[in-house]
Structure formats: C-alpha cells, structure tokens
Amino acid sequence: MKRNQRLALLMAASLSVASLSACAGSGGKGDASPSASSGGASASPSATATASASAGAAKAKKTIVFSTITNYYTAGLKQAAEDYQKLHPETTVKIDIVSDNTTYMTSFQAKMAAGGDDAPDIVHANLLGDTPAGNVKKGYILKLNDFISEPNPYNNGVSLRDGINGDYWPYAYTSDGDIFMLPFDLVGTGFYYNKDLFAKAGIAETPTTWEDLFADLQKLKDQKIIPLSMSQATGSDYEGWMVGAFEDWANRSRIPEIIVQPGDARSTPEVEAINGKIQYKADDPFFDIGAVVDAERTMALWKSGKYDLQGPAEQKIWSTLKQLSGYLQPGYATMKDADAYQLFISGKAAAYWNGSWQVGQLLKDQQALGGKGFEWGTFKFPGFKQADPNFPGAPRGILVPGHQLSVTNKKDADTVARAKDFLLFLYSPEEAQKVFTTTIDAGQFVQGPSLVKGVTLPDEVNAYLDGFKVAGNMNGQIGQIATGNPAAEPNATAELKGLELQYYNNKLTLEQFLQKKADFVKKTNEKYIADNQFDLDPKTNP
Amino acid sequence: MNTARWRRYGLSYLFLLPSFLFIVVFLYYPVILAFFHSFTDWNLVQTKWTGLRNFRTMFGDSSFRTGAVNQIVYTLTDVFKAIVFPLLAAELIFLIGGPKLKYTFRTGFILPMLLPGIVTILLWQNIYDPNNGLINQLLMLLGLESWSHAWLGEDATALWAIVFYNFPFIAGLPFLIFYAAIGNMSQEQIEAARIDGASGWQVFARIHLPFLVPQFKVVIILTIIGSLQDFVKIMVMTGGGPGVATTNPAMIMYNAAFGSSQYGYGSAIGVSLFLVILVLTLFNMRFLKSDY
C-alpha cells in the first residue's frame, strides 16, 4: 500500500507540476508596445473659431457620440472634444472607442436597425458593414452634398469642400453620386524595413523590383534573419492587399467595362458626370479616381471569360506570391499582425508589410527602445524588372482617404446639427493640426498625410510616409473577376486561403491551384449573382 | 394556487419572477427566434423566407464539412481528456496519505481554474509560438531543432496543437466532481473488497468506476456542450486556419453571422448544433444508465 501511495504521490506531483507549468510558461515574447499616453498639444481653442448658428442656438445640454477604433487618433480626438466643449459647454462630445472592426460594423448595423437612437452620431464610413450607397439608401447615414458647401465658421468661412484636398473628393461619392463622407487623411500600404539588418546582409539600396526584392530577401535568409514578416491569418490577411494590387495591375485596363455607364439602370447625372471623365491610360494611375463601379457589370465581365483565370498573368501573380511565402516568418498562416509586428520591432524580422497607419506606433516604440532601437525606413510595392505586357504601367496599391467620417442619420435634428458642427470644428486647420500632433505624441495611429489643407507633419514622419505613396489607388472590385467572393464572406475567404496555402506548401501544383481557384471564383460569384438577382444586363434594374 | 399556498410561497414566486423573465427574454426568446430565422435570409433589417436553403447550403459547403470533421475530433478528444485525466488525478490524490498533502495537491489542480480562460489560451499560443515559443526553444536546447514546427501555422500540426492545448488536461470542474464522488464512496465496501483480496486495479474497475457512472454522465454532457459551443480558443489561436484546417461549425456560424451579416445562415448552423447536442445528450442519458 505504501508503495502504491508513493507511486500515486509521484504521479500526482508530476501531473500537478505539468499543469501549473502550462499556466506559468512564457513564450518569451516581450511586449514592445508601450502604453499610450496623451499630452503634448495645447488645449487652447481656436482663436478664429466662432460658434456656428446651429449649435449656438441650442442651449440644452446634449452629448454627441463619435465612435472610433482603438488607437485611431484616440488621443487627438479626445483633445478635440475637450477643445470643442470649451467653446460649446452645452455640447459634450464623447469619444467612444470600439476595440475592433467587426464589432464596430455589427454594432452600427444592429443599432440602426433598432431605430438608431443608441447609434453613435459620427462614424467611420468605411466600417459600417454595408456599401456607402446601401447605408444612405437605408437612411443610416446622411447625404452631405449641401453640408460640404456651407461656410465653415471655424475656418474663416472656407467650406469643407475647399478646406479639404480636392484630389480626394471623388472618393467621397456613393455609387448614386451622393457625398457620404469627409476625408481626413490618406492611407497607403508598403514595406517597413530595418536598415541595420539590411546593412548587415550587405543590402545598400531598397529594392524596386520583385527580382531585386527576392535577391535581398535571400541575402537576409542566408544571414539567418527572418526576411519578411507579414500576417496571413484569417481576419488579418495582409497578403490580400498584395493580391489586390497584382490583380489591379493585370486588369485595370478593364475598369472602364465595370463602371456605371450612360443608359445603365444605376446611372444618374451625378454618376455620369464622374464616370464620363474616365478613360484608361496605362501611364496614368489616377485615371479612375472616384469611378463608380457597378457590381453587376463586374460580374458580367467575369462571366464573359475575357480574363483567363489560368492564363499567364495569373500564373505570374501566384508564382510570385508563392516565392514570397518562402521568405515569410514561420507560422505566417495563422500569425496575427500584432505578432508579425513584434518580430519586426524586436529586430528578428528585417522587413514588415503593413500600412502607413503603423508609422505612429513605430515612432513611439523606437523611442521606448532607446539605444536598443534601430534605423528604419519604408519602400514601395515593387514592379517587375522586365516590362510585361500583362502588367502595364506601374503597380498601384492602397492610396485612399483612411479616416472617412460620416454623420448618422438620426431623427433628432438638433443632435445631427451638433454632430455636423463638431465636424466643422474638427476640419479646421488649427484643430486638425492639433489632432495630428497629439496623436503622434501619444504613439497612436496617424494613418498618413492629412487631407485637411494647412496641416503639416514633421519632416521625419513625412519621410517615412513616402514609402506608402504608391503610383495610385488600386480598384478593389476589378479583382473580383479573378479572386471571387464579392461579398467578402469570411468563411469563403478562409476557403480560398486554404487553397493558396496548399499551393505554397507544394500540395497543389500551380495548374491545380489555378483550376481550384477558378472553381471557387465560379461558386462565390454565382452565389453573389443569385443573391442579388442580377440578370447581368446593367440596363435593367433587377 | 389556493390562498394558503399563495400566502406561504407567494413571495418566493415573486422573487423568482424577475430572473425567470430575464431567462425567457434573453435566452428562450432568442432561441425560438433562431429557429425561425434558420429558415430565412435575415440580415437584421430584412427577413425573407427561404425554407431549407440555409441547411442545404450548410451541408453543401466544403468548409462546413471540414469544420464538422474537425469538430468530431475536438469533441471525442475533449470527452477523453475530461474523463481520463481528471479522474486519474482524483484517484491519485485520493490514494495519497495525509490530509495536508491531499489539500496541497487538490489546491494545485484547482488554482488554474482561477485564471481567465483567455489568459490560458494566450499562454498556450505563446508556448506554440514558432519563433519564441517554449516548445521550439526547448527542442533547440535539446539539439532537436529539426523537430520544431510552426505548431499552429502548419496544416499537419495545427489541429493537434489545439487538441493538446492545456495539457495535462486536468480541468478543475471534472476533477472536483470526480474527487467529491470518490470521497463519498463507502469506505467499508472498499475495505471489505481489499480484505477479500481485491487488487488496486480491481477496486478501481469494479467499485470506483460503476459508482462514478452518474459523474461520467454529467461530465460527458457538459463536455460535449462545451466542445460544440467552443470557438474562442480556435479563434484566438488560429482563426480557424491555416485556411480552414482548424475551423469548426461554431466558428463558421460566428463568421457567417457577425462577419458577413448572414444571420439566417448563422442561425441554421446554431440550430443544427443545438439538435446535435440534444441527440448526444439523450443518447448519453440512455446509454449510460444509472440509478441516479
């Protein structure tokens, strides 16, 4: 019995230790992200600002809610809210911080479906769970057509239309030709790189072609450095931007075929005015700025089979991406972006693919690292060394207004007026400058250069942002003819990613992969056509 | 209810009423709604009757089929882990002499219950981390670098990495259930068996196991329910990936409902999971007969 007891004791002890070790174990991953702190900017209100008639007339105390995502100008917006309240004690602006995009979208749609009383008053138009036109049609967000032409009392009477960089207004139109948002800043995608690690591998210049990029990544790999860190996990698949850029490059000559055209059921005079100017030119990456694309025409183009889903362009795109996958960090298929970033900031990965919004975080983290930090820079999505007729012109990427602010369509006109007044205040050069400065000081996301005229960023920040200024903005919809899933269903996204990974891991040949991808595109596009009752004749309204 | 009963119990019923109303409004009503919406195309704004289309879509979806197969693996291994390891731990502690030692080990097994689930999940995600993780670091120290993997990032290992999450699988609740039951067994019966020459194994197999059947039923039912509903650890650790290698129906349901506003389709998956749980529970009740 005693022997049994000793045996039991030994086994229980080992199990207990194993159990506790599982709870006490550490992966050894340090948290390089310092906590955000606010401060730096003065809180004095704009000297030139005067209360607008709409807000000034309303004396009752009210709260308007500005809903944003964690870290997106959070500190700057709070500063603006405080400044505004000093001018308008009768209006409290609450900056409501939502943790993630999915919650943001779901919450907005659910609150608006329930009548909208509990919905925030100012929202991010690109996170509303439906197309801008859809949200305007449903009465969830306001048309801002007249609002942007009103004189802004906080900017010496200069209207929003004139106070915001005019190059990017075309992005503010819905497919029905209405203004649905106010652009605040510009975002772009690109590569961050660790200059010290590049130098250690003998790389003197940043690559501008895929061939050079692969040569450089190989040099880094030879030095036992993770060449490139990029998340491809479900929900943070940043390779998707590369796929989008490649598909846009291969297909943008077909964009005129998918935009709304005169005589189409969805055509309006406003849309005609925008789309009428669009003409494809290989050497003009901005040729389609603001183009209003028609989903039915996109599906009709796919159905026509004009683009060969197994042709040379597709072969080149996917073999390039497969080659790139060989230089990614181990576990990239399920590694979230935060962990991919940790590899870069901790000096384990030499390059990191992300967007301009990460600049603020990197600046802050480098500051926190002090002597252990490293020199870093940015470079653009590369081209091909030899001109390829399947990829005319220069590659584009994401280059659009990032912070797109809309006003919720609420029943209470006074609340709507106060929300609009706060936006006028926010888009004054002085206050917008303060938002940027405060945000940078707090190490939060400044997504890119400001689109509010008169706002300037430090030279250091501008230098980093240069790597994200790609040739132009890719068209997000043209890629649907090659990758399907126009409804962007997460389950379908995961299915396609599964196929890609099988190809990258040599479980499928290129031909097999392209065949399976074509089947996937057929399945998802046909479901989309059926769900939307498209007859693929854009002249008729389904 | 007559006046006398009302006088005696009325106040109690009144106190129960708010809780019951909450349960009806926030649990039963949504469940009934989900049944209805599983036959519709519902995006929170519009509802369109579509009959069995959502169910046909579900069974025709290759990702769902992969998820269902994964779920079978998860559930079978979850039940195995919930029975074998906590029972083993409970038996071992029961055999240890001295109340202080018993108390120490019991506390040792229960303490991890106090950790929020997400903390344990993140710890295990770190343990599996391909670059800094405990497992790969250990393999490197042992000179077995070639054995290292991106445990959660490779097709071949991701599913089993999730299965081996929380090794050695001594979940607090099943452990407590078994330990309490073993402590309540008739010691006279066990002593009599030993006097009659029964070995330790015979005592365990002939006395302990039959006595523990009601506990097995409870643990199995709770584990099956938990397993079918669980998607948090999958979502945090792999997001269902690589691709769909580790997904399960609950994850697909979440993605459909909250990722693409297909609430009708999500409801259909939810209803199917409910029916599976119901069938398995009934099967469990019938199959594992006991006097309790």
Side-chain angles (χ1 to χ4, degrees), chain A residues 144-155:
Chain A
L144 303 174
N145 304 1
D146 299 329
F147 175 59
I148 63 163
S149 299
E150 292 169 11
N152 183 354
Y154 302 100
N155 190 17

Side-chain angles (χ1 to χ4, degrees), chain A residues 317-361:
Chain A
I317 290 170
W318 291 100
S319 54
T320 304
L321 289 171
K322 180 182 176 178
Q323 195 175 347
L324 185 70
S325 74
Y327 297 108
L328 296 176
Q329 78 279 18
Y332 67 85
T334 53
M335 188 179 286
K336 302 277 194 303
D337 179 58
D339 292 323
Y341 174 71
Q342 290 287 347
L343 289 175
F344 179 67
I345 195 69
S346 62
K348 290 188 174 170
Y352 168 62
W353 167 256
N354 205 299
S356 54
W357 48 86
Q358 200 71 13
V359 166
Q361 181 77 52

Side-chain angles (χ1 to χ4, degrees), chain A residues 8-9 11-13 15-16, chain B residues 81-97 101-103 105-110 168-185 187 204 208-209 212 215-216 219:
Chain A
L9 178 68
M11 289 180 74
L15 280 172
S16 181
Chain B
K81 290 183 290 183
I83 295 286
V84 175
F85 293 90
L87 178 61
L88 181 65
E91 288 283 355
L92 290 173
I93 291 177
F94 182 70
L95 281 175
I96 292 170
L101 258 182
K102 278 185 201 248
Y103 180 80
F105 278 106
R106 208 172 59 214
T107 310
F109 285 126
I110 300 304
F169 317 122
I170 301 174
L173 188 62
F175 168 74
L176 275 182
I177 290 173
F178 291 134
Y179 187 77
I182 293 168
N184 282 336
M185 283 179 190
Q187 296 308 307
F204 173 72
H208 282 204
L209 283 186
L212 289 170
Q215 281 71 32
F216 289 149
V219 171

Side-chain angles (χ1 to χ4, degrees), chain A residues 1 4-5 7-30 100 102-103 105-107 109-114 129 138 140 226 232-235 329-336 339 342-343 346 348 487-499 501-502 505 507 523 527 530-531 533, chain B residues 41 43-45 48 53 57 60-63 85 88-89 91-93 95-97 101 104-105 108-109 111-112 115 120 123-127 129-134 137 150 152-156 158 166-168 170 194 200 234-244 246-247 251-263 265 269:
Chain A
M1 186 65 190
N4 285 347
Q5 280 186 348
L7 193 63
L9 178 68
L10 190 67
M11 289 180 74
S14 58
L15 280 172
S16 181
V17 167
S19 177
L20 286 172
S21 69
C23 298
S26 160
K29 190 165 53 176
D100 62 276
T102 308
T103 308
M105 290 188 262
T106 310
S107 166
Q109 287 291 324
K111 283 175 178 170
M112 292 311 292
K138 285 192 284 190
Y140 286 8
I226 296 171
Q232 294 199 26
T234 310
Q329 78 279 18
Y332 67 85
T334 53
M335 188 179 286
K336 302 277 194 303
D339 292 323
Q342 290 287 347
L343 289 175
S346 62
K348 290 188 174 170
E489 292 175 9
N491 288 322
T493 306
E495 188 182 336
L496 180 58
K497 179 53 69 180
L499 290 176
L501 293 170
Q502 284 181 46
N505 294 321
K507 289 179 183 163
K523 182 177 79 174
K527 180 176 183 296
D531 287 348
Q533 298 176 307
Chain B
D41 187 0
N43 61 5
L44 287 183
V45 182
K48 197 172 83 184
R53 195 181 77 177
T57 305
D61 179 4
S62 61
S63 298
F85 293 90
L88 181 65
E91 288 283 355
L92 290 173
I93 291 177
L95 281 175
I96 292 170
L101 258 182
T104 307
F105 278 106
F109 285 126
L111 266 182
L115 277 179
T120 318
L123 279 173
W124 274 87
Q125 196 182 19
N126 282 347
I127 288 170
D129 188 290
N131 303 292
N132 306 308
L134 189 68
Q137 297 279 343
L152 294 168
E154 292 175 22
D155 263 1
N166 220 6
F167 178 82
I170 301 174
R194 290 207 176 279
I234 300 170
M235 185 155 176
V236 173
M237 292 172 90
T238 64
V244 291
T246 57
T247 196
M251 179 95 201
I252 292 171
M253 174 181 75
Y254 175 83
N255 282 339
F258 301 105
S260 51
S261 299
Q262 295 174 299
Y263 292 93
Y265 183 47
I269 299 174

Side-chain angles (χ1 to χ4, degrees), chain A residues 46-290:
Chain A
S46 160
T48 56
T50 55
S52 76
S54 57
K59 296 296 176 196
K61 288 211 167 199
K62 253 184 195 171
T63 298
I64 58 167
V65 178
F66 185 131
S67 186
T68 188
I69 296 282
T70 308
N71 267 350
Y72 278 77
Y73 297 103
T74 312
L77 288 172
K78 282 183 177 167
Q79 180 69 60
E82 276 175 32
D83 292 347
Y84 185 76
Q85 207 172 345
K86 282 177 191 160
L87 279 179
H88 301 279
E90 74 283 1
T91 304
T92 302
V93 180
K94 183 185 166 196
I95 307 298
D96 181 39
I97 301 160
V98 180
S99 62
D100 62 276
N101 295 3
T102 308
T103 308
Y104 196 98
M105 290 188 262
T106 310
S107 166
F108 179 77
Q109 287 291 324
K111 283 175 178 170
M112 292 311 292
D117 292 340
D118 297 325
D121 302 289
I122 299 169
V123 287
H124 290 292
N126 37 358
L127 290 174
L128 298 184
D130 198 352
T131 60
N135 280 321
V136 169
K137 270 182 200 158
K138 285 192 284 190
Y140 286 8
I141 56 172
L142 284 176
K143 294 177 189 175
L144 303 174
N145 304 1
D146 299 329
F147 175 59
I148 63 163
S149 299
E150 292 169 11
N152 183 354
Y154 302 100
N155 190 17
N156 299 318
V158 176
S159 69
L160 289 169
R161 185 183 285 281
D162 295 331
I164 295 172
N165 187 334
D167 293 343
Y168 295 91
W169 270 119
Y171 290 111
Y173 287 88
T174 69
S175 56
D176 295 326
D178 296 308
I179 297 282
F180 70 95
M181 62 93 167
L182 309 176
F184 190 73
D185 60 14
L186 201 58
V187 294
T189 45
F191 292 90
Y192 293 87
Y193 74 103
N194 181 324
K195 288 184 178 175
D196 300 345
L197 292 179
F198 267 51
K200 190 180 163 193
I203 304 162
E205 282 184 14
T206 52
T208 53
T209 66
W210 280 98
E211 292 80 357
D212 290 344
L213 175 63
F214 288 139
D216 290 347
L217 295 178
Q218 185 59 47
K219 284 180 193 166
L220 290 159
K221 199 174 183 176
D222 293 343
Q223 294 282 322
K224 307 272 182 210
I225 297 166
I226 296 171
L228 174 64
S229 163
M230 173 170 77
S231 172
Q232 294 199 26
T234 310
S236 65
D237 179 12
Y238 291 5
E239 188 206 35
W241 298 330
M242 289 191 176
V243 176
F246 273 126
E247 296 296 354
D248 172 84
W249 199 5
N251 283 294
R252 69 175 183 248
S253 62
R254 296 181 174 88
I255 288 172
E257 292 182 59
I258 65 167
I259 61 175
V260 177
Q261 289 168 14
D264 282 5
R266 294 177 191 83
S267 183
T268 63
E270 290 82 3
V271 171
E272 274 185 41
I274 301 166
N275 283 359
K277 297 174 193 159
I278 288 163
Q279 264 190 323
Y280 170 71
K281 285 179 203 150
D283 58 352
D284 177 11
F286 288 97
F287 79 98
D288 60 336
I289 193 165

